[in-house]
């Protein structure tokens, strides 16, 4: 069919029909493709694993699918650094690091993303003393419209490096990345049901006393699943294969998927289904290598919005969401996730200059999300919220500029590296301006 989109993201919230899709291997092939497109006056964009919910990776121009550009190039065990091609997934990188006794300091809750895609949007995990993945980047190469490869680090082209760590794909195609790692470590992971009020009351304490604390609140209930992951020297204590399948696949995915499908039948069942899901939560504990604990399987598709707000507003944000559900006809069937991260110094990072709480709302992919997300966004706007670049939101350059004190630093580098906007797309025009 003529208008059939040929590229679709994981959440089915963005799609496009690129003029051509290329699968380059190695920096030289990327250089050639970028230069050819630019010479012909065409736009070009790199896509990662399509795990952004926004149309940030979409293009009507040429698309670079970097899945074959995924080698580990160098492991520097002395300085705990690794240099990789940009299309490697976090999962593959974490496995490769484990073979060398290394690990990423922190990870998000899945590992399907490419490293370059995750870095480009400021992807983060949880932990009040830990910064996002972009902050672990200590060097990268950018392929520019004329095919030139620009190496950047704190020493080389430092101004480009400073902004390109959360570059939104707007500055060039990232060819390789050097990432600061840590010695491999194990985590003791505890998941347990708790009361929302108790978690809100003790939120600061829970964040301080755990290396990685987060919670999922089941809307229309007072039930929370609290997750604390802490470094440990204890030997690995994995779940049995049956338990692994029961918790990780059956309960978190298939049973949860069934709840979503039931909610499709009758929306007014959703509050009851949330109560039932909350009551079925059990306590589970295990010890394993960090990358196995961080990464979850996600088999139920959803749409997501996430806002980074100053950490001090975390409790207020959840209370306002609770008031929203109590006083509106909204019926929500997906838990709300609350995480934290340390401040960083990257101009367009949502956590730039402030300790942050990250509040995420989700909707089953077959359900409408816009009305809900707009109401949540109004709450986050009032709390100085900055949207995750890869998750749904309705902001524009005019509403975003004042939320980022170093906005102009990014704009200046963008004007210098891509004056003709070869790497632009509709989403970037909306959020960064033309
Ligand atoms: C199930 C699920 C779980 C998630 N969990 C988390 C989480 O725990 N924490 C969190 O913060 N986010 C999370 N996200 C969001 C996700 O991490 C980001 O949206 C991330 O950017 C997706 O990476 P990707 O490889 O799929 O990149 P894509 O979504 O394909 O692309 C993202 C951006 O990166 C650019 N890009 C990709 N490769 C290059 C390159 N080589 N050079 C230049 N630009 C490039 C693209 O052009 C685009 O602008 C989750 C998303 C999903 C679907």
């Amino acid at each position: 069919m003529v208008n059939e989109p040929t590229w679709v993201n994981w959440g089915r919230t963005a799609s496009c029909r690129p003029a051509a899709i290329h699968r380059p291997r190695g920096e030289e092939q990327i250089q050639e493709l970028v230069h050819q497109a630019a010479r012909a006056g065409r736009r070009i964009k790199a896509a990662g694993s399509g795990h952004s919910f926004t149309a940030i990776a979409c293009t009507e121009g040429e698309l670079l699918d970097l899945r074959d550009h995924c080698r580990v190039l160098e492991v520097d065990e002395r300085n705990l650094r690794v240099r990789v091609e940009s299309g490697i997934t976090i999962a593959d990188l974490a496995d490769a690091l484990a073979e060398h006794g290394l690990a990423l300091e922190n990870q998000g809750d899945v590992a399907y993303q490419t490293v370059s895609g995750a870095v480009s949007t400021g992807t983060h995990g949880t932990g009040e003393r830990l910064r996002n993945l972009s902050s672990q980047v200590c060097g990268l190469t950018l392929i520019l419209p004329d095919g030139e490869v620009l190496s950047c680090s704190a020493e080389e082209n430092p101004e480009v490096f400073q902004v390109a760590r959360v570059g939104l794909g707007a500055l060039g195609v990232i060819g390789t990345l050097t990432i600061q790692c840590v010695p491999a470590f194990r985590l003791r992971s505890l998941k347990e049901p708790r009361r929302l009020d108790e978690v809100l009351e003790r939120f600061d304490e829970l964040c301080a006393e755990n290396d990685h604390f987060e919670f999922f609140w089941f809307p229309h209930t007072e039930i929370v699943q609290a997750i604390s992951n802490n470094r440990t020297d204890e030997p690995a204590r994995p779940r049995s294969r049956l338990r692994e399948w029961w918790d990780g696949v059956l309960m978190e995915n298939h049973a949860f998927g069934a709840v979503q499908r039931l909610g499709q039948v009758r929306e007014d069942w959703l509050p009851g289904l949330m109560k039932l899901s909350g009551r079925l939560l059990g306590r589970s504990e295990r010890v394993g290598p960090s990358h196995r604990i961080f990464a979850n399987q996600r088999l139920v598709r959803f749409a997501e919005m996430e806002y980074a707000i100053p950490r001090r507003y975390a409790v207020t944000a959840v209370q306002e969401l609770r008031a929203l559900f109590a006083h509106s006809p909204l019926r929500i069937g997906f838990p709300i996730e609350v995480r934290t991260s340390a401040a960083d110094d990257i101009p367009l990072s949502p956590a730039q200059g402030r300790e942050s709480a990250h509040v995420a709302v989700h909707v089953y992919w077959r359900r409408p999300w816009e009305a809900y997300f707009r109401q949540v966004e109004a709450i986050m706007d009032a709390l100085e919220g900055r949207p995750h670049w890869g998750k749904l939101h309705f902001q524009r350059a005019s509403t975003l500029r004042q939320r980022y004190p170093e906005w102009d630093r990014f704009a200046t580098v963008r004007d210098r590296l891509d004056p003709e906007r070869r790497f632009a797309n509709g989403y970037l025009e909306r959020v960064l301006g033309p």
Side-chain angles (χ1 to χ4, degrees):
M1 252 200 308
V2 177
N3 287 322
E4 188 71 18
T6 49
W7 187 90
V8 180
N9 69 345
W10 179 87
R12 304 295 185 260
T13 47
S15 60
C16 60
R17 199 158 186 273
I21 300 182
H22 308 280
R23 277 178 64 167
R25 276 169 202 263
E27 228 168 31
E28 276 177 24
Q29 288 186 10
I30 302 177
Q31 283 176 267
E32 185 56 34
L33 288 162
V34 169
H35 189 36
Q36 263 174 23
R39 246 190 341 229
R42 292 191 297 267
R43 283 182 167 182
I44 185 158
K45 181 137 284 296
S49 309
H51 271 57
S52 292
F53 298 90
T54 55
I56 190 167
C58 281
T59 185
E60 305 299 320
E62 300 192 23
L63 192 83
L64 297 178
D65 174 340
L66 296 182
R67 79 183 70 178
D68 297 330
H69 180 65
C70 59
R71 287 174 302 167
V72 174
L73 299 172
E74 194 186 337
V75 181
D76 174 355
E77 289 185 16
R78 223 159 71 130
N79 295 306
L80 312 181
R81 288 181 174 188
V82 64
R83 193 162 66 85
V84 292
E85 289 181 334
S86 56
I88 191 170
T89 61
I90 295 176
D92 288 346
L93 171 60
D95 282 344
L97 289 176
E99 286 173 22
H100 293 272
L102 298 175
L104 295 172
E105 181 183 54
N106 199 5
Q107 288 183 219
D109 58 14
V110 299
Y112 307 114
Q113 309 95 316
T114 60
V115 173
S116 54
V119 161
S120 297
T121 62
T123 291
H124 60 88
T126 191
E128 69 171 18
R129 293 174 285 278
L130 300 166
R131 293 171 299 159
N132 58 19
L133 184 61
S134 312
S135 306
Q136 311 313 316
V137 174
C138 38
L140 56 86
T141 59
L142 268 184
I143 295 154
L144 303 177
D146 60 1
E148 185 202 343
V149 178
L150 189 75
S151 296
C152 332
S153 65
E155 292 79 35
E156 211 178 348
N157 297 304
E159 189 57 14
V160 177
F161 175 68
Q162 187 62 13
V163 304
R165 288 177 295 160
V166 179
L168 283 70
L171 305 176
V173 176
I174 299 172
T176 62
L177 293 134
T178 304
I179 295 169
Q180 183 65 54
C181 306
V182 297
F185 61 100
R186 281 190 294 280
L187 287 172
R188 181 172 4 87
S189 176
L190 173 63
K191 293 185 179 180
E192 57 182 347
R194 291 195 184 208
R195 305 284 304 165
L196 178 62
D197 277 336
E198 182 219 335
V199 169
L200 293 183
E201 216 166 280
R202 296 188 52 222
F203 186 66
D204 285 340
E205 213 179 302
L206 291 165
C207 292
E209 71 193 22
N210 292 291
D211 294 328
H212 312 266
F213 177 76
E214 69 175 302
F215 70 86
F216 286 92
W217 164 44
F218 288 70
H220 311 292
T221 80
E222 292 301 304
I223 306 165
V224 152
Q225 183 186 47
I227 306 178
S228 349
N229 293 331
N230 286 293
R231 284 175 174 240
T232 180
D233 292 329
E234 289 171 47
R237 201 164 7 104
R239 297 181 285 202
S240 69
R241 284 174 84 103
L242 178 65
R243 187 73 203 254
E244 183 88 26
W245 175 81
W246 183 272
D247 289 350
V249 179
L250 183 72
M251 297 309 284
E252 284 181 15
N253 285 289
H254 295 313
F256 189 62
V259 163
Q260 299 305 321
R261 287 189 293 279
L262 278 172
Q264 280 291 94
V265 179
R266 289 253 322 250
E267 192 186 63
D268 56 356
W269 287 348
L270 282 173
L273 287 165
M274 283 294 90
K275 274 190 197 98
L276 180 67
S277 309
R279 286 212 190 98
L280 290 177
L281 288 177
R283 185 178 190 281
S284 77
E285 206 176 343
R286 63 186 164 132
V287 176
S290 59
H291 62 295
R292 297 270 178 256
I293 299 286
F294 286 131
N296 296 287
Q297 284 195 60
R298 292 281 182 257
L299 304 178
V300 179
R301 277 180 217 282
F302 52 83
E304 181 175 350
M305 163 184 273
E306 183 179 60
Y307 266 86
I309 54 175
R311 166 59 198 282
R312 63 184 182 283
Y313 296 147
V315 172
T316 310
V318 176
Q319 281 164 341
E320 296 209 0
L321 288 173
R322 177 151 66 176
L324 173 68
F325 300 140
H327 300 115
S328 79
L330 285 171
R331 295 290 171 264
I332 304 306
F334 232 97
I336 283 141
E337 186 177 17
V338 180
R339 297 182 275 185
T340 57
S341 72
D344 64 57
D345 63 351
I346 308 174
L348 288 197
S349 164
Q352 186 277 337
R354 61 194 205 190
E355 287 178 19
S356 300
H358 303 266
V359 181
V361 294
H362 312 75
V363 168
Y364 182 50
W365 71 294
R366 291 184 185 279
R367 292 184 57 72
W369 44 266
E370 184 168 341
Y372 173 35
F373 286 4
R374 281 195 184 274
Q375 291 177 72
V376 174
E377 187 165 272
I379 292 173
M380 301 303 159
D381 279 346
L383 299 175
E384 301 164 36
R386 295 172 180 164
H388 189 304
W389 297 112
K391 301 190 183 179
L392 296 161
H393 65 90
F394 307 96
Q395 309 291 345
R396 320 187 65 78
S398 56
T399 59
L400 289 167
R401 181 188 295 268
Q402 69 268 22
R403 301 181 198 199
Y404 288 89
E406 301 198 351
W407 181 273
D408 289 343
R409 278 180 83 179
F410 187 94
T412 305
V413 172
R414 185 183 185 213
D415 285 344
R416 178 152 66 84
L417 299 188
D418 187 22
E420 294 183 329
R421 301 296 189 250
R422 294 286 167 234
F423 304 113
N425 61 9
Y427 176 80
L428 293 183
E429 279 165 12
R430 191 186 106 206
V431 301
L432 296 178

